[in-house]
């Protein structure tokens, strides 16, 4: 024997129970003959059966405390799929007494039954099986064909009118147990089959009438909307028709006026064309004469620019040489400043560098004179160029005025010709021939004017280039002036350094003479020291008077102690000073042994 799938058996049992509960509910409701309350037993059994059907094959979801298995998750999806279910979901969430998801699901089923849309909501869920697969196993009742059958059976519940109070009920703690005794057959049920057939026929008629009413309501609303839109469009079309008629009348009047004006314009244009032709011929002759003069001026300006470019290159080369010489001078100055503080060995190098600097200064002075002469020549050339540019600007202004007048006349003639062409195409052959001749003349004039504009643009470009070169030369002259100032400053610094070097050479010579004297004195001191070896220094307390002047030491007469012989003198008696190369000030020397004296505090002064 083939073993049956237990899940298929469960689905079949639940389907049979749903059929029995729905059938029993409809029959009892029709026999009851009024709206059903929440205490009605067949209605309670129906909700219990629906819970079991929706719970079949639910996936277990993990929570923080335990595993959760509720039907509120799939029912909550309905509001996303069916917008009319948003009211039910919002009202279920706002109910104060509900705490568990199962209680919210029970309240949702009751509200959907009262709306008579339970079948519609569950049908949306069954269609979207991809979303249901998140909540149900693949073998669940809602994922198989039995679910579609139950949804079809739920359509028959639209016959029932239910009035359920969800707010006060304790839906969280209800126990869902199916009472099978209700569905067992009895003798009375067998005898009442005919009555059930009649009831079923009445129910079918009721359902048919309700569906017809729904369709008729929808068609009536759509027809009302169409009628409103047609009325609005009709009124708009009537208004637009009236406006269009008024516009046609105005356009006809304007057409008559324009025709009359066109005839006057024709006469005026003919007169203007004759006058403009004479003026243009005269202006062309004057322009040819002025053009020859401008060509000559342009050639002279180009030649002068070439000469200035050559002069500029020469000046740049001289500037490069001057800059290099400037750097060399700066380096020499730095070396001189360092070498001044060194000893006698560096004096020979300083003298050689001074000779080189003198030679460089002579060369720089000669080059400066040459650059000054070149600057004078350039200033004269710049003044000549400015005079010529002023003359060219004046001639250009005159030419621009003449060109503007010619362009104005041409524009007026072109505008009048275009109007005449558009409005009098269909006129006689004589007028057409005249217009063709005039058009040829206008084309010739336009070409002449274009050539004049091109020449004008080229002349303007050349003038701009000349102005740029003049400005560039001015900047170069300013740079040369600044370089000249810097060179003068460097000459002054050079003179100062020369004077400092001469002073230092004199000082070094004096130092050399003093050093030779000090060396002789040091040799004498050494000889005296050898003789005075073994003598003992006097103590500060014992030395109260100077050895030479025999006066008492005080603030004005300070002690000076000899390192070598140990004798103590006052500052008035120890006037012998010896210059040393290591110290900037001269040093006091002992009168007897010529050793260096040390200044000490007097014993009388605290």
């Amino acid at each position: 024997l083939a073993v049956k799938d237990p899940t298929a058996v469960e689905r079949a049992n639940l389907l049979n129970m749903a059929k029995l509960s729905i059938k029993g509910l409809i029959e009892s409701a029709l026999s009851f003959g009024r709206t059903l309350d929440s205490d009605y037993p067949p209605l309670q059994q129906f909700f219990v059966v629906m819970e079991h059907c929706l719970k079949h094959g639910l996936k277990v979801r993990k929570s923080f405390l335990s595993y959760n298995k509720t039907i509120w998750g799939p029912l909550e999806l309905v509001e996303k799929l069916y917008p009319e279910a948003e009211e039910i979901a919002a009202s279920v969430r706002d109910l104060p007494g509900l705490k568990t998801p199962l209680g919210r699901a029970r309240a949702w089923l009751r509200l959907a039954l009262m709306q008579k849309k339970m079948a519609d909501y569950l049908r949306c869920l069954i269609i979207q099986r991809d979303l249901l697969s998140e909540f149900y196993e693949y073998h669940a009742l809602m994922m198989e064909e039995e679910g579609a059958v139950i949804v079809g059976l739920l359509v028959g519940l639209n016959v029932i009118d239910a009035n359920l109070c969800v707010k006060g009920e304790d839906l969280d703690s209800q126990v869902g147990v199916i009472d099978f005794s209700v569905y067992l057959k009895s003798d009375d049920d067998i005898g009442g089959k005919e009555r059930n057939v009649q009831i079923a026929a009445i129910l079918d008629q009721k359902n048919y009438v309700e569906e017809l009413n729904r369709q008729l309501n929808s068609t009536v609303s759509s027809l009302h909307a169409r009628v409103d839109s047609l009325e609005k469009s009709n009124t708009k079309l009537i208004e637009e028709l009236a406006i269009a008629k008024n516009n046609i009348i105005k356009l006809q009047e304007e057409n008559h006026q324009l025709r009359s004006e066109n005839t006057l314009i024709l006469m005026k244009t003919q007169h203007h064309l004759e006058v403009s032709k004479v003026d243009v011929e005269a202006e062309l002759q004057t322009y040819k004469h002025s053009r020859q003069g401008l060509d000559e001026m342009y050639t002279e300006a180009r030649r002068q620019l070439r000469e200035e470019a050559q002069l500029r290159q020469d000046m740049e080369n001289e500037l490069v040489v001057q800059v290099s010489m400037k750097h060399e001078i700066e380096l020499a100055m730095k070396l001189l400043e360092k070498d001044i503080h060194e000893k006698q060995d560096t004096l020979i190098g300083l003298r050689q560098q001074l000779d080189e600097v003198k030679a460089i200064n002579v060369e720089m002075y000669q080059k400066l004179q040459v650059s000054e002469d070149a600057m004078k020549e350039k200033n004269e050339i710049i003044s000549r160029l400015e005079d010529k540019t002023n003359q060219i600007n004046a001639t250009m202004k005159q030419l621009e005025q003449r060109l503007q007048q010619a362009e104005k006349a041409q524009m007026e003639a072109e505008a009048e010709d275009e109007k005449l062409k558009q409005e009098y195409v269909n006129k006689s052959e004589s007028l057409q021939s005249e217009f063709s001749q005039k058009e040829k003349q206008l084309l010739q004039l336009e070409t002449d004017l274009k050539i004049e504009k091109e020449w004008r643009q080229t002349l303007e470009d050349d003038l701009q280039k000349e102005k740029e070169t003049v400005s560039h030369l001015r900047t170069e002259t300013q740079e040369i002036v600044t370089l000249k100032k810097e060179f003068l400053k460097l000459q002054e610094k050079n003179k100062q350094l020369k004077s400092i070097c001469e002073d230092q050479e004199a000082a070094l010579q004096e130092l050399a003479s003093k050093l030779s004297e000090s060396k002789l004195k040091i040799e004498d001191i050494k000889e005296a020291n050898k003789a005075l070896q073994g003598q003992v220094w006097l103590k500060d307390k014992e030395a109260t008077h100077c050895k030479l002047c025999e006066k008492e030491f005080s603030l004005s007469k300070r002690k000076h102690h000899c390192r070598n012989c140990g004798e103590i003198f006052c500052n008035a008696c120890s006037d012998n000073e010896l210059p040393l190369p290591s110290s900037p000030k001269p040093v006091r020397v002992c009168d007897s042994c010529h050793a260096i004296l040390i200044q000490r505090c007097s014993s009388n002064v605290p």
Side-chain angles (χ1 to χ4, degrees):
L1 293 170
V3 179
K4 290 185 177 179
D5 187 8
T7 56
V9 173
E10 288 175 3
R11 289 198 300 271
N13 291 332
L14 286 169
L15 179 61
N16 292 325
M17 285 305 301
K19 285 179 182 178
L20 289 170
S21 65
I22 291 164
K23 184 180 178 185
L25 181 60
I26 291 167
E27 288 176 355
S28 61
L30 291 171
S31 62
F32 196 58
R34 60 191 175 83
T35 55
L36 304 178
D37 297 329
S38 57
D39 297 330
Y40 193 60
L43 188 60
Q44 291 177 356
Q45 285 298 311
F46 166 71
F47 287 127
V48 172
V49 172
M50 284 303 298
E51 280 181 29
H52 281 284
C53 291
L54 290 168
K55 282 180 181 178
H56 184 263
L58 261 178
K59 289 181 180 179
V60 178
R61 289 181 172 269
K62 290 181 181 180
S63 63
F64 291 105
L65 299 172
S66 62
Y67 292 99
N68 193 4
K69 192 176 181 181
T70 57
I71 58 172
W72 174 239
L75 292 177
E76 204 173 6
L77 277 174
V78 177
E79 63 177 327
K80 296 178 182 177
L81 303 171
Y82 203 84
E84 293 181 4
E86 290 177 359
E87 294 179 1
I88 294 174
S91 59
V92 167
R93 289 192 193 95
D94 295 337
L95 283 172
L98 300 176
K99 296 178 182 178
T100 60
L102 184 61
R104 294 190 189 94
R106 286 170 178 168
W108 190 89
L109 288 170
R110 282 158 177 74
L111 291 170
L113 183 67
M114 282 194 285
Q115 279 190 345
K116 296 184 180 181
K117 289 185 178 179
M118 188 186 287
D120 297 332
Y121 295 157
L122 293 177
R123 189 181 64 204
C124 292
L125 267 178
I126 288 165
I127 291 166
Q128 301 292 330
R129 292 195 179 180
D130 295 334
L131 298 172
L132 276 178
S133 62
E134 295 178 4
F135 300 97
Y136 287 102
E137 300 288 345
Y138 68 94
H139 56 76
L141 185 137
M142 295 296 288
M143 298 289 286
E144 297 292 337
E145 294 179 356
E146 286 82 355
V149 174
I150 289 168
V151 171
L153 292 170
L154 289 172
V155 175
L157 293 177
N158 294 335
V159 180
I160 298 167
D161 295 326
N163 188 8
L164 308 175
C165 185
V166 182
K167 192 174 182 180
E169 287 190 13
D170 187 11
L171 298 173
D172 294 328
S173 60
Q174 284 183 2
V175 180
V177 180
I178 300 170
D179 188 6
F180 291 100
S181 64
V182 179
Y183 306 109
L184 295 172
K185 288 186 178 181
S186 61
D187 296 332
D188 296 330
D189 292 333
I190 294 163
K193 283 183 180 179
E194 294 178 357
R195 188 181 65 184
N196 289 332
V197 172
Q198 291 175 359
I199 288 164
I202 291 163
L203 287 171
D204 291 335
Q205 289 177 1
K206 186 182 178 184
N207 289 329
Y208 177 70
V209 169
E210 285 180 354
E211 288 178 359
L212 276 173
N213 283 326
R214 285 179 187 172
Q215 291 177 0
L216 288 169
N217 287 324
S218 63
T219 53
V220 165
S221 62
S222 63
L223 286 168
H224 278 301
R226 283 183 184 177
V227 167
D228 293 332
S229 63
L230 287 168
E231 285 178 354
K232 288 177 182 177
S233 61
N234 194 7
T235 52
K236 285 180 182 178
L237 287 168
I238 290 164
E239 290 174 358
E240 287 175 357
L241 232 178
I243 292 162
K245 285 180 180 178
N246 293 324
N247 289 328
I248 287 163
I249 293 162
K250 288 177 182 178
L251 288 167
Q252 285 177 355
E253 291 175 356
E254 287 176 359
N255 194 2
H256 288 299
Q257 289 177 0
L258 289 168
R259 284 181 181 176
S260 60
E261 287 174 358
N262 284 329
T263 53
L264 295 170
I265 288 162
L266 234 177
M267 299 293 288
K268 289 178 182 179
T269 51
Q270 289 177 356
H271 181 69
H272 281 301
L273 278 169
E274 291 174 356
V275 174
S276 63
K277 186 178 178 182
V278 175
D279 294 333
V280 167
E281 286 177 354
E283 285 177 358
L284 278 169
Q285 289 176 358
T286 55
Y287 177 71
K288 285 176 182 178
H289 292 296
S290 62
R291 184 174 164 188
Q292 290 176 358
L294 285 168
D295 289 333
E296 292 174 356
M297 292 286 285
Y298 181 68
T299 52
E300 288 178 2
R302 285 187 72 180
R303 184 175 56 76
Q304 288 174 359
L305 277 170
R306 286 173 185 170
E307 292 175 357
E308 286 176 2
Q310 289 177 357
L311 289 169
R312 182 188 168 190
Q313 286 179 356
D314 297 334
M315 285 297 292
E316 284 178 352
N317 294 324
E318 289 176 1
L319 278 170
V320 170
V321 173
Q322 286 177 2
V323 168
S324 63
M325 294 298 288
K326 184 183 174 183
H327 288 300
E328 289 176 1
I329 289 163
E330 287 177 355
L331 291 169
M333 296 293 286
K334 287 177 182 177
L335 292 168
L336 283 168
E337 287 176 359
K338 288 179 182 177
D339 294 334
I340 284 163
H341 299 290
E342 292 179 357
K343 294 178 181 180
Q344 289 179 351
D345 298 333
T346 58
L347 284 170
I348 297 164
L350 283 167
R351 284 170 184 171
Q352 291 176 357
Q353 288 178 357
L354 279 168
D355 293 333
E356 290 175 359
V357 168
K358 285 175 183 178
I360 289 162
N361 283 326
V362 170
E363 290 177 0
M364 288 290 289
Y365 183 72
Q366 290 174 359
K367 287 180 181 179
L368 246 178
Q369 287 178 352
V370 174
S371 64
E372 283 177 357
D373 296 332
M375 280 291 294
K376 288 176 182 178
E377 290 177 359
K378 283 186 178 181
N379 288 323
E380 290 175 359
I381 291 161
I382 288 162
S383 61
R384 289 173 188 173
L385 280 169
E386 285 178 352
D387 295 333
K388 287 179 182 180
T389 50
N390 291 323
Q391 291 175 4
I392 290 163
N393 287 323
T395 53
M396 286 296 292
K397 284 179 182 178
Q398 291 176 2
L399 286 169
E400 282 176 358
Q401 290 176 0
R402 291 176 182 177
L403 282 169
Q404 285 176 359
Q405 291 174 2
E407 283 176 355
K408 286 179 182 179
Q410 184 187 357
M411 291 293 289
E412 291 174 358
E414 284 176 357
E416 290 171 357
D417 287 333
E418 285 175 359
K419 289 178 182 178
L420 291 168
K421 285 176 187 177
Q422 290 176 0
E423 293 173 357
Y424 293 99
V425 174
N426 297 321
K427 286 192 176 182
S428 63
E429 294 179 355
S430 62
L431 287 169
Q432 285 179 356
S433 62
E434 289 178 1
F435 276 120
S436 63
Q437 290 176 359
K438 288 174 183 178
E439 283 175 358
K440 288 177 182 178
Q441 292 174 359
L442 280 168
L443 287 169
Q444 289 177 357
L445 290 169
E446 285 175 356
T447 52
D448 295 333
L449 284 168
K450 284 179 182 178
I451 292 162
E452 288 175 2
K453 286 179 181 177
E454 288 174 357
W455 274 101
R456 182 187 169 189
Q457 286 179 354
T458 52
L459 288 169
E460 286 177 353
D461 294 332
D462 295 332
L463 277 171
Q464 286 179 355
K465 288 178 182 177
E466 287 176 359
K467 286 177 182 178
E468 288 175 357
T469 52
V470 168
S471 62
H472 192 64
L473 288 167
R474 282 177 183 172
T475 53
E476 285 180 354
T477 52
Q478 288 175 359
E479 288 176 357
I480 289 162
V481 170
T482 53
L483 285 168
K484 191 175 179 180
K485 289 177 181 177
E486 289 177 358
F487 184 72
L488 292 170
K489 287 179 182 177
L490 286 168
Q491 280 183 343
E492 290 176 359
K493 284 182 181 179
N494 194 2
K495 287 177 183 178
Q496 290 175 1
L497 286 168
K498 279 182 182 179
S499 62
I500 290 162
C501 285
E502 289 172 356
D503 295 335
Q504 285 177 354
E505 283 177 355
L508 284 168
Q509 288 175 0
E510 290 175 0
L511 279 170
S513 62
K514 286 183 179 180
L515 277 169
S516 61
E517 292 174 1
S518 64
K519 280 179 182 178
L520 295 170
K521 286 182 180 179
I522 287 162
E523 288 176 355
D524 295 335
I525 288 162
K526 283 179 181 178
E527 290 175 357
N529 284 333
K530 287 178 183 178
L532 292 168
Q533 281 179 357
Q535 292 183 359
V536 182
W537 283 26
L538 286 172
K539 293 182 180 179
D540 290 336
K541 291 180 180 179
E542 294 176 357
T544 56
H545 294 79
C546 180
K547 190 175 179 182
L548 292 175
C549 63
E550 296 181 354
K551 290 181 180 179
E552 190 178 359
F553 292 116
S554 62
L555 285 170
S556 60
K557 291 188 176 185
R558 292 184 295 278
K559 292 180 182 181
H560 285 83
H561 198 288
C562 180
R563 293 182 181 179
N564 194 14
C565 63
E567 293 180 357
I568 298 169
F569 302 97
C570 65
N571 57 353
C573 294
S574 58
D575 290 332
N576 292 327
E577 292 181 348
L578 180 66
L580 291 176
S582 60
S583 64
K585 293 182 179 179
V587 181
R588 292 179 185 274
V589 181
C590 181
D591 290 329
S592 59
C593 66
H594 298 286
I596 296 168
L597 294 175
I598 301 167
Q599 185 178 348
R600 304 177 74 176
C601 294
S602 175
S603 61
N604 298 329
V605 180

